[in-house]
Amino acid sequence: MQKIALFGLLSLGLTAFLLAFTTPETPTPPTPPPAIVWHTWDEAVALNKTAPRKIMIDVFTEWCGWCKRMDKSTFTDSATVAYVNANFYAVKLDAEQKGDLNFGGNTFKYIAHEGGRGVHELAVSLLEGNMGYPSLVYLDDKFSRIMISPGYKEPADLMKELTFTAGGFYATTTWEDYQKAH
């Protein structure tokens, strides 16, 4: 009986000794959700000079609820994030931003409206005056407009637009025909 008790004490002591030299497991910090690499207009223009790519511009406003929803859902979808980051320079353009933007020898400015919200000239130009938010504008690597796409998009719907533009399908078919086929 004494041998069993002694063996038990030794086992307990050895276990305590070994536990004293182990480090507690630290929890792994959560992995941040995937994110689109958003650029300013000027950054995208500069990047395009050295490594040409198509450009996707999210024209939004701070007060737009659908814009915020698209930021939280569609623009965080992992497949969407990966595809945008691999194929486009993504630009966030606040349609009501106040700072000047220079491009193509022109200076685009904020236009104040009496008694209401103003608008930025670059947003007006990109959207051809159809100021609805959110709107996506796709440009080729020479800054020619491929397509304007107004309204909120679910990830699957956005992915169709992304593949249409990144794949160059716009050069041989209309958006409407592409949608029917895909």
Side-chain angles (χ1 to χ4, degrees):
M1 183 85 166
Q2 286 182 346
K3 286 184 182 182
I4 293 174
L6 183 59
F7 180 73
L9 284 173
L10 283 174
S11 294
L12 185 62
L14 181 61
T15 302
F17 177 77
L18 291 174
L19 286 175
F21 290 100
T22 60
T23 56
E25 190 174 315
T26 56
T28 305
T31 305
I36 291 175
V37 178
W38 292 105
H39 301 282
T40 65
W41 174 257
D42 291 336
E43 290 169 345
V45 170
L47 287 166
N48 196 57
K49 286 179 184 175
T50 57
R53 271 191 194 180
K54 292 178 178 70
I55 299 170
M56 179 190 81
I57 305 164
D58 175 27
V59 184
F60 73 99
T61 63
E62 291 296 326
W63 51 263
C64 169
W66 287 107
C67 300
K68 291 174 185 177
R69 182 173 175 189
M70 203 156 154
D71 282 341
K72 289 181 181 172
S73 61
T74 307
F75 290 147
T76 59
D77 173 71
S78 60
T80 301
V81 169
Y83 198 85
V84 168
N85 287 342
N87 295 285
F88 294 89
Y89 292 124
V91 173
K92 282 267 192 206
L93 180 66
D94 184 346
E96 296 176 348
Q97 75 179 33
K98 304 242 183 334
D100 292 354
L101 291 171
N102 297 305
F103 178 70
N106 298 308
T107 300
F108 295 89
K109 299 178 175 286
Y110 175 78
I111 304 166
H113 292 154
E114 285 186 41
R117 290 181 152 79
V119 67
H120 200 277
E121 289 176 321
L122 183 57
V124 173
S125 176
L126 288 168
L127 296 176
E128 296 180 337
N130 298 313
M131 309 310 292
Y133 314 110
S135 285
L136 296 175
V137 180
Y138 299 95
L139 305 177
D140 67 16
D141 60 354
K142 307 269 189 283
F143 296 96
S144 294
R145 188 181 306 108
I146 297 169
M147 180 168 87
I148 299 170
S149 177
Y152 172 83
K153 309 280 180 303
E154 290 290 337
D157 297 325
L158 180 58
M159 191 58 75
K160 278 186 187 178
E161 290 183 8
L162 296 172
T163 56
F164 175 74
T165 54
F169 295 101
Y170 59 90
T172 59
T173 188
T174 65
W175 169 238
E176 292 75 20
D177 289 341
Y178 182 83
Q179 282 183 294
K180 291 174 192 171
H182 296 86

